[in-house]
Amino acid sequence: MTIIMKNSKYNKSGQGSQCNQAIMLVTDGAPYNFEEIFSRYNWPHLQVRMFTYLIGREETKKRDLKWMACANKGYFVHVTTLAEVREQVLKYIPVMARPMVMYQNKHPHIWTGVYADIADPKQTDWLWELRERKRQMDRTNNYRNLKKRVENRQLPHDYIIRESEKIEKFLEYGEFVLTPRDAARMKAKHNREARGRRGAPGLREGYRLMTSVSVPVFDRKKTSVRTANLLGVAGTDVPIREIEKLVPPYKLGVNGYSFMVNQNGYVLYHPDLRPVHEEANAEFQDILKPNYNSVDFAEVELIDHDSGPRSNNSDLLELTKGRDYNTKLRRDLIDQREHESNFSVKVHMDNMKRVVTRQQRYFTQKVKGTPFSLGIAMPMGYGKYKVYGQVELSRAIQDPRGVKVTDYFTSGNWSIHPDWVYCEYKYDQNRPDMTPEELMMDFLTRAQEPRWKWRSTRTRAPPEPSMTKPQYSSWKPGVVESERKDSYYCDKDLVQSMVFDARATNVYTERTIEDKIADEHRGRQNFGMTTAFVATRSGLTRWVDLTKLKPGDTPEPSDEPHIMQIHNRAIDEVWYKRAVDYYEEDPDAYVYSVPFDAAAQNPEDVLVTATRAIFIEENRHRKAPAAVVGVTIKHQKFVEYFTNETYKCPSYPSRDSSCKNAKTCESVYLDCYLLDDNGFIIASEKNEHTGKFFGTLEGTIMESLVQSEVYRKVKIYDYQAVCLDSQTEPNPASILLTPVQMLKWTANWIMSNIFWVLVKTHLYTLWDPNQAWAYTHGAREDIYPDINNPHMEPVDYKEVFDETIADYFSDEPAPEVAKEYPAVEENDLPDYDPEDDRQYSEEYDHQAEDGDFPSLELAYINKTHPRPCDKEVELYKLQNHKLQTDGNYKPVKGKLSNCHPNGCGRHFSVQKVVSTNLILVAVNNLCSCDSRRVDIEPVEVEYNETMLCNRLLLHHYRNRPGHCFNYHPEEHEIKQCGGAGSLTLPSAAMLTLLVLAHVCNTLKLHS
């Protein structure tokens, strides 16, 4: 009864939902009915309903429990068997729905939060355990192969079995001779294969995010006894992707986005909502995170200030004292109020490796009929305006020149945004036989017909059922072809904008492309350009392949898709966003980038991407991005050009005798690096540095660049992170993998109790203890001597262990993995000198004697289990204005003093590369200073007790339910409050008398 007393104080405080409140009492009996407490704290308003559940077959304890339920608008249930639990416990639902049913005319629509369309939430734990076992199986098979190679004397050299690092690489990758680049290359390939297994972008990496809406169904029949019956609910599931389509991204432009928040402040969709693992091992990247469906709005929008973790927020969370209207963004979203505000935010890109800071303007709006609010974020400056240009198809049909719309797509290669809806058939939304480009050409061909209609209405009302025609015939799956072709949707603005961009970018015919290649043949060979491309605001991407060695040649066929077929999402590509953002700092600059895993790729396959934004300006004040142009360059050619330019004498056009005393990158005393605006190495004198973060090589220099304000350090907090804890105990989800586990535990329990009884009762003495060792003595004579002989020789347990696992480490692989992990073929092994056989045999015997073969424990993986946590990472952003003096770029020079015991220093110089996002860093390597590593990998935020306590006590603002039906003035007329589920003693006796009376009457009639 303490609960009801505390709840009374809670109701007076005005906190909480102040709607339906109930106490559920599950007990095997009550000493009395607590009438005094109910009369003081719950009567006469009866704000709290009382549901009582009596467990057991005892009939004498029902009276008080039933009185408590009936006196407080509740329900009493007597649960006598386990089979009744599920059904009887749910009796509270129709009781709490009585006020709503009695109003009759109000049917509230209830929307759920976001969830994934999986059968069981426990599937996440099951998948995690399954893949951990797969990882263990791979490592164990590599251990078996290692054992086999040792037994067959097929190791690369004699002492490799003693090198722990190479043994670890073999257990991880299955190969011995691996350079760091080879290992990184295999890991990168594994990651790319894992990313390729994911679903389409709209499925959120394999999972379809959903929300559900439901309405109650009432019983409207009038009966002599007052009732209020809830028949059930009717509802449907709504894919989040369909909701996102209502705000087309092309209308928001580059770096603009929409999002949606529910009444609790949780995000339904947002560009930074990451429901699956990305930062963990690649094998786990398509598994749902533990708290994917409760990501708060304040966890995805990061305000640009230097506060600690979980303090994002006075600017986002709610009203605070002394704050202006900008502090109400999250609260206005929850309260569904229209609102506009400006914030300086931090936005991370490229899997949290790059960061930009920008001013954004936020707009909020209520979504009618739902508890959701729609938010739109637009960049300040270029986000205020958009380029408007369309080709009216109805006029294009009447063009006297006879130019067809489809002719704009004949030259070069092109693609459209795969996730945007240009046109689609309503009956065939997922047609696997047509690519988006083929579907677009099909609609453009139809659009040139005289009776073309746009049909821009996305939804259509279902047909009304009639009494003469069954409803199912109107929705039969066999739709005729004419209906199928006429039932479609087209976004008129998007399609006509795309046609306009196609006409504007259709500048070359096949002949002019050949001539252009011939004219620029020399320049292309010098710079190594492979592709020229343009991406527009309508999602159109066009490119020209420049890999022909000379006019008339055709590129070699390849199974790999072209790079522009992979990066075909136009304004949603990272290189597009970066080019537009960097335009604000330098309108004439090209933005260069390389893949982060470039060092692991084949140097001949690495490409440098250079992009530049094209803006349309009007009156010098209005400007908006229209497109981004760019090229891809072979990295080897780019580095060659970089070395040629940096090796030149600064004062002379060529290297001659006058340059001997000049300091260039050719000097062995200088290390030169070309860094981008986020600190990643674009080019250096070593290929293995490409794509790496500069701080991992020269951490001390990177810190000096921050102190010199060349780079700004930006701290990013990831509130959706997942940490992997070592799992020392079996996961509860392992029961799903081994259903007999419960039987095993039961058998162990029974056997342990049997042995306990034998020991306590001394029944074991009835047997001769020597009989427990009975066996054929000759079979084990050399291992087990006579147990009665006090002078026993030591037993070779190693030999016993080797015999025990002989089958496990057999030469043939296990049947279930033989196909996936074939045995090592002789031709696949490296060649060895036969003269070394004798030396190798002696060395191997020596290893066997010393027990140098790695133990089986090395094959064990560190089993982990995911848990939600907070992580932080420090990213870097170039500050161009700090490198300028009077509008000109000047070099920044520095020195690391006293960084070596002998007192020497290390000089470095930084120079901006004009019209690029690059800087040249030259470091003197004469003084070998100790350099610490500066990494950009996220690390877990360690909360102290005070911070952890404050975080647990932090209660974000939530909105109360919009509809509350907890009271109806006539509810007291309903007298049903349970208790009729079982027969009492008087009713059983009455039933017996009735049966006897019926039998007697029957006998009289027959007589």
Side-chain angles (χ1 to χ4, degrees):
M1 292 297 108
T2 305
I3 298 177
I4 196 170
M5 291 187 289
K6 291 184 177 180
N7 190 73
S8 177
K9 298 180 181 179
Y10 183 76
N11 288 331
K12 293 178 181 179
S13 67
Q15 298 178 354
S17 65
Q18 299 294 309
C19 193
N20 287 296
Q21 301 177 11
I23 294 177
M24 294 185 176
L25 177 62
V26 182
T27 180
D28 59 353
Y32 51 93
N33 57 19
F34 301 96
E35 181 178 358
E36 295 180 357
I37 295 178
F38 287 115
S39 61
R40 180 176 179 181
Y41 294 102
N42 200 39
W43 295 351
H45 300 292
L46 299 176
Q47 289 181 288
V48 182
R49 298 178 185 268
M50 193 73 183
F51 296 91
T52 55
Y53 299 88
L54 177 62
I55 307 299
R57 300 182 180 273
E58 185 64 42
E59 297 285 343
T60 60
K61 300 180 179 181
K62 295 173 52 176
R63 179 179 177 181
D64 292 333
L65 291 175
K66 184 175 181 180
W67 181 91
M68 284 189 283
C70 296
N72 294 277
K73 297 195 304 184
Y75 202 84
F76 167 74
V77 175
H78 187 187
V79 182
T80 58
T81 63
L82 186 62
E84 298 177 333
V85 173
R86 181 180 295 272
E87 179 183 358
Q88 298 292 348
V89 168
L90 296 180
K91 292 291 182 65
Y92 78 93
I93 296 178
V95 175
M96 299 190 73
R98 284 174 181 173
M100 180 175 58
V101 175
M102 297 179 73
Y103 281 112
Q104 292 288 317
N105 58 346
K106 295 182 180 180
H107 291 69
H109 293 67
I110 305 300
W111 291 80
T112 67
V114 65
Y115 63 91
D117 60 341
I118 58 177
D120 191 344
K122 293 182 180 180
Q123 184 181 8
T124 296
D125 294 334
W126 178 75
L127 286 175
W128 192 280
E129 181 70 19
L130 190 66
R131 298 196 177 190
E132 287 274 50
R133 292 179 177 232
K134 172 65 167 56
R135 196 157 60 98
Q136 178 65 76
M137 184 183 69
D138 294 343
R139 196 173 176 91
T140 303
N141 277 280
N142 289 337
Y143 183 85
R144 295 175 64 183
N145 290 335
L146 176 63
K147 180 82 172 180
K148 180 178 178 180
R149 291 194 181 190
V150 170
E151 293 175 350
N152 296 337
R153 303 175 180 178
Q154 295 173 335
L155 297 180
H157 57 81
D158 303 337
Y159 295 94
I160 197 169
I161 198 67
R162 300 180 181 177
E163 300 178 11
S164 58
E165 182 178 353
K166 293 188 176 181
I167 292 296
E168 179 62 29
K169 284 185 178 181
F170 187 90
L171 295 177
E172 186 72 21
Y173 304 106
E175 293 293 340
F176 265 123
V177 185
L178 282 178
T179 64
R181 167 173 287 190
D182 293 332
R185 187 174 302 165
M186 294 181 66
K187 186 175 181 180
K189 180 181 178 181
H190 185 62
N191 291 344
R192 287 194 296 270
E193 291 175 352
R195 288 194 295 269
R197 291 196 300 267
R198 300 183 188 179
L203 301 183
R204 288 293 188 271
E205 290 79 21
Y207 296 95
R208 192 182 302 274
L209 298 184
M210 313 281 287
T211 182
S212 297
V213 57
S214 59
V215 293
V217 180
F218 308 145
D219 184 3
R220 295 179 178 271
K221 293 187 299 183
K222 295 183 179 180
T223 59
S224 58
V225 179
R226 188 64 183 268
T227 59
N229 297 327
L230 176 68
L231 299 181
V233 295
T236 185
D237 300 332
V238 182
I240 297 297
R241 178 164 171 75
E242 296 300 319
I243 299 177
E244 291 185 67
K245 289 181 180 179
L246 301 178
V247 187
Y250 77 91
K251 292 187 177 181
L252 306 179
V254 59
N255 291 322
Y257 57 90
S258 65
F259 55 89
M260 194 167 285
V261 177
N262 65 8
Q263 75 277 9
N264 290 320
Y266 295 148
V267 172
L268 266 74
Y269 74 88
H270 189 281
D272 194 34
L273 178 62
R274 291 167 278 122
V276 298
H277 293 280
E278 294 178 356
E279 65 282 338
N281 189 297
E283 284 292 337
F284 305 146
Q285 286 183 353
D286 56 353
I287 298 179
L288 284 171
K289 294 182 179 179
N291 292 347
Y292 75 96
N293 56 351
S294 59
V295 178
D296 195 89
F297 172 69
E299 297 176 345
V300 293
E301 294 287 342
L302 304 179
I303 301 300
D304 186 15
H305 57 66
D306 298 328
S307 60
R310 294 287 173 180
S311 59
N312 190 20
N313 355 279
S314 55
D315 290 335
L316 283 178
L317 295 181
E318 51 205 72
L319 281 170
T320 54
K321 294 182 179 180
R323 310 294 292 189
D324 58 11
Y325 75 98
N326 289 342
T327 62
K328 302 191 300 178
L329 178 57
R330 183 182 178 277
R331 185 159 189 158
D332 286 338
L333 281 168
I334 294 175
D335 291 339
Q336 298 187 309
R337 291 197 293 259
E338 294 187 16
H339 179 67
E340 295 184 18
S341 57
N342 302 332
F343 294 108
S344 178
V345 297
K346 299 178 288 189
V347 181
H348 59 83
M349 301 178 179
D350 266 359
N351 293 327
M352 209 168 287
K353 293 184 181 296
R354 302 186 185 275
V355 64
V356 296
T357 58
R358 71 168 76 103
Q359 289 283 335
Q360 292 191 161
R361 187 161 186 83
Y362 292 84
F363 304 87
T364 63
Q365 178 67 49
K366 173 184 178 180
V367 180
K368 294 182 180 180
T370 72
F372 306 143
S373 292
L374 175 68
I376 293 178
M378 304 288 291
M380 297 290 290
Y382 63 83
K384 294 182 180 179
Y385 309 99
K386 63 176 295 186
V387 175
Y388 183 84
Q390 296 185 9
V391 172
E392 182 62 47
L393 293 186
S394 61
R395 296 183 179 181
I397 297 172
Q398 304 172 0
D399 191 344
R401 295 174 296 178
V403 178
K404 296 182 178 181
V405 174
T406 54
D407 293 341
Y408 300 146
F409 301 88
T410 55
S411 64
N413 305 282
W414 65 280
S415 65
I416 57 177
H417 199 300
D419 300 333
W420 291 1
V421 178
Y422 295 82
C423 290
E424 66 179 4
Y425 290 105
K426 294 183 178 179
Y427 286 102
D428 301 315
Q429 294 184 1
N430 300 310
R431 297 183 65 175
D433 56 331
M434 297 183 69
T435 64
E437 291 75 24
E438 293 172 343
L439 188 63
M440 189 72 257
M441 292 302 294
D442 176 53
F443 276 101
L444 289 178
T445 302
R446 294 184 58 188
Q448 298 180 84
E449 298 175 357
R451 296 183 180 180
W452 164 258
K453 294 182 180 180
W454 282 106
R455 302 185 188 274
S456 295
T457 303
R458 185 177 291 277
T459 58
R460 183 178 60 177
E464 292 292 338
S466 61
M467 300 300 295
T468 59
K469 184 178 181 181
Q471 185 177 5
Y472 70 85
S473 63
S474 301
W475 290 95
K476 59 184 178 181
V479 183
V480 296
E481 185 63 23
S482 59
E483 282 189 54
R484 185 185 301 274
K485 295 190 66 174
D486 292 337
S487 181
Y488 58 84
Y489 164 81
C490 275
D491 192 318
K492 181 178 179 180
D493 291 337
L494 179 58
V495 173
Q496 294 190 155
S497 297
M498 188 267 296
V499 174
F500 178 89
D501 293 343
R503 186 179 67 179
T505 56
N506 188 35
V507 294
Y508 296 132
T509 63
E510 290 295 332
R511 179 62 182 172
T512 55
I513 291 175
E514 296 285 349
D515 295 340
K516 192 70 175 177
I517 293 176
D519 294 339
E520 299 182 359
H521 182 68
R522 180 179 178 182
R524 182 172 52 81
Q525 288 297 314
N526 288 339
F527 294 99
M529 291 186 293
T530 61
T531 307
F533 61 89
V534 57
T536 68
R537 34 105 201 193
S538 64
L540 176 66
T541 303
R542 305 191 76 157
W543 70 91
V544 177
D545 195 347
L546 302 176
T547 56
K548 299 178 182 180
L549 298 179
K550 59 182 179 179
D553 287 351
T554 56
E556 297 180 359
S558 175
D559 296 334
E560 296 292 331
H562 193 274
I563 183 174
M564 300 313 300
Q565 292 176 324
I566 300 174
H567 301 283
N568 59 352
R569 300 172 67 240
I571 68 173
D572 290 332
E573 292 292 341
V574 175
W575 47 261
Y576 197 112
K577 295 181 178 181
R578 293 182 62 209
V580 173
D581 274 330
Y582 205 80
Y583 183 90
E584 296 289 305
E585 300 188 24
D586 189 350
D588 300 324
Y590 280 84
V591 178
Y592 291 82
S593 63
V594 295
F596 297 127
D597 61 347
Q601 298 182 23
N602 189 338
E604 297 180 357
D605 298 334
V606 179
L607 297 177
V608 180
T609 303
T611 57
R612 180 182 176 184
I614 304 298
F615 274 66
I616 303 298
E617 296 188 11
E618 182 180 299
N619 299 330
R620 296 185 179 181
H621 300 289
R622 298 179 180 179
K623 58 182 179 180
V628 168
V629 297
V631 294
T632 58
I633 309 170
K634 283 186 174 293
H635 185 261
Q636 288 182 330
K637 288 288 185 180
F638 186 84
V639 173
E640 180 181 340
Y641 181 76
F642 164 71
T643 54
N644 289 337
E645 292 298 318
T646 55
Y647 283 8
K648 289 180 180 179
C649 187
S651 302
Y652 301 90
S654 61
R655 288 177 287 177
D656 52 21
S657 58
S658 303
C659 291
K660 292 182 178 180
N661 298 326
K663 294 182 179 180
T664 67
C665 291
E666 188 178 16
S667 173
V668 295
Y669 306 115
L670 286 180
D671 294 332
C672 294
Y673 304 91
L674 204 59
L675 309 183
D676 68 3
D677 54 322
N678 296 118
F680 291 93
I681 300 175
I682 302 296
S684 71
E685 297 169 300
K686 297 181 180 180
N687 287 333
E688 57 267 24
H689 295 164
T690 306
K692 293 184 177 180
F693 180 63
F694 181 65
T696 59
L697 303 177
E698 297 285 355
T700 309
I701 300 294
M702 191 68 197
E703 290 181 341
S704 298
L705 295 180
V706 174
Q707 295 177 1
S708 303
E709 297 184 334
V710 175
Y711 282 98
R712 177 196 168 193
K713 188 183 297 185
V714 181
K715 181 169 289 189
I716 296 292
Y717 291 101
D718 183 9
Y719 301 118
Q720 304 176 60
V722 173
C723 296
L724 304 180
D725 292 337
S726 297
Q727 184 178 337
T728 56
E729 297 181 359
N731 193 306
S734 62
I735 300 176
L736 299 175
L737 298 176
T738 56
V740 298
Q741 189 68 34
M742 296 297 295
L743 297 177
K744 181 179 177 181
W745 290 342
T746 303
N748 291 338
W749 179 81
I750 294 175
M751 293 301 298
S752 61
N753 280 275
I754 291 175
F755 284 119
W756 182 84
V757 171
L758 292 176
V759 172
K760 297 297 289 186
T761 58
H762 297 278
L763 293 176
Y764 67 93
T765 57
L766 299 177
W767 289 275
D768 184 0
N770 292 336
Q771 293 180 359
W773 297 85
Y775 52 84
T776 304
H777 182 69
R780 301 283 179 174
E781 185 174 0
D782 54 338
I783 298 180
Y784 296 106
D786 185 4
I787 61 172
N788 296 319
N789 186 2
H791 303 287
M792 293 179 57
E793 297 295 332
V795 181
D796 189 0
Y797 292 101
K798 180 179 182 300
E799 183 177 353
V800 177
F801 175 77
D802 289 341
E803 291 182 6
T804 304
I805 64 172
D807 295 335
Y808 184 79
F809 291 115
S810 63
D811 293 340
E812 297 297 330
E816 62 272 16
V817 298
K819 183 177 180 180
E820 186 175 358
Y821 299 93
V824 180
E825 297 294 336
E826 185 176 358
N827 296 332
D828 297 334
L829 299 174
D831 295 329
Y832 301 103
D833 190 355
E835 298 180 358
D836 295 338
D837 286 349
R838 181 176 180 182
Q839 179 181 358
Y840 178 83
S841 176
E842 295 176 356
E843 190 63 32
Y844 177 76
D845 293 340
H846 175 72
Q847 294 173 8
E849 292 174 1
D850 294 345
D852 289 338
F853 187 79
S855 61
L856 183 62
E857 284 74 11
L858 285 178
Y860 297 162
I861 64 170
N862 180 23
K863 295 191 67 175
T864 58
H865 188 73
R867 64 172 173 84
C869 65
D870 294 346
K871 288 186 177 182
E872 62 180 352
V873 60
E874 290 181 337
L875 304 179
Y876 296 82
K877 183 179 181 297
L878 181 65
Q879 302 188 100
N880 286 313
H881 63 279
K882 296 295 183 180
L883 298 174
Q884 291 181 343
T885 303
D886 298 330
N888 298 320
Y889 289 110
K890 300 294 183 180
V892 176
K893 298 182 179 181
K895 178 183 179 181
L896 301 179
S897 301
N898 300 323
C899 60
H900 194 272
N902 62 9
C904 69
R906 193 174 188 188
H907 297 267
F908 64 90
S909 177
V910 180
Q911 177 66 53
K912 182 73 167 62
V913 181
V914 182
S915 298
T916 69
N917 66 324
L918 308 177
I919 60 173
L920 175 64
V921 179
V923 181
N924 191 314
N925 57 20
L926 284 177
C927 185
S928 58
C929 296
D930 296 333
S931 178
R932 75 181 191 90
R933 181 185 178 92
V934 176
D935 212 335
I936 56 171
E937 291 297 324
V939 296
E940 184 178 1
V941 178
E942 297 292 341
Y943 291 102
N944 55 38
E945 294 183 1
T946 302
M947 297 175 64
L948 184 60
C949 184
N950 292 336
R951 177 185 172 186
L952 295 176
L953 294 177
L954 179 63
H955 298 287
H956 293 331
Y957 174 73
R958 316 288 183 196
N959 195 7
R960 297 176 180 177
H963 302 278
C964 182
F965 301 94
N966 62 341
Y967 172 76
H968 192 278
E970 299 177 3
E971 186 181 353
H972 65 279
E973 298 179 6
I974 300 177
K975 302 301 182 181
Q976 298 174 357
C977 59
S982 58
L983 294 175
T984 59
L985 183 61
S987 60
M990 181 63 68
L991 180 61
T992 304
L993 293 175
L994 290 175
V995 172
L996 292 175
H998 176 71
V999 171
C1000 293
N1001 291 332
T1002 304
L1003 294 175
K1004 289 180 179 179
L1005 291 175
H1006 286 287
S1007 61

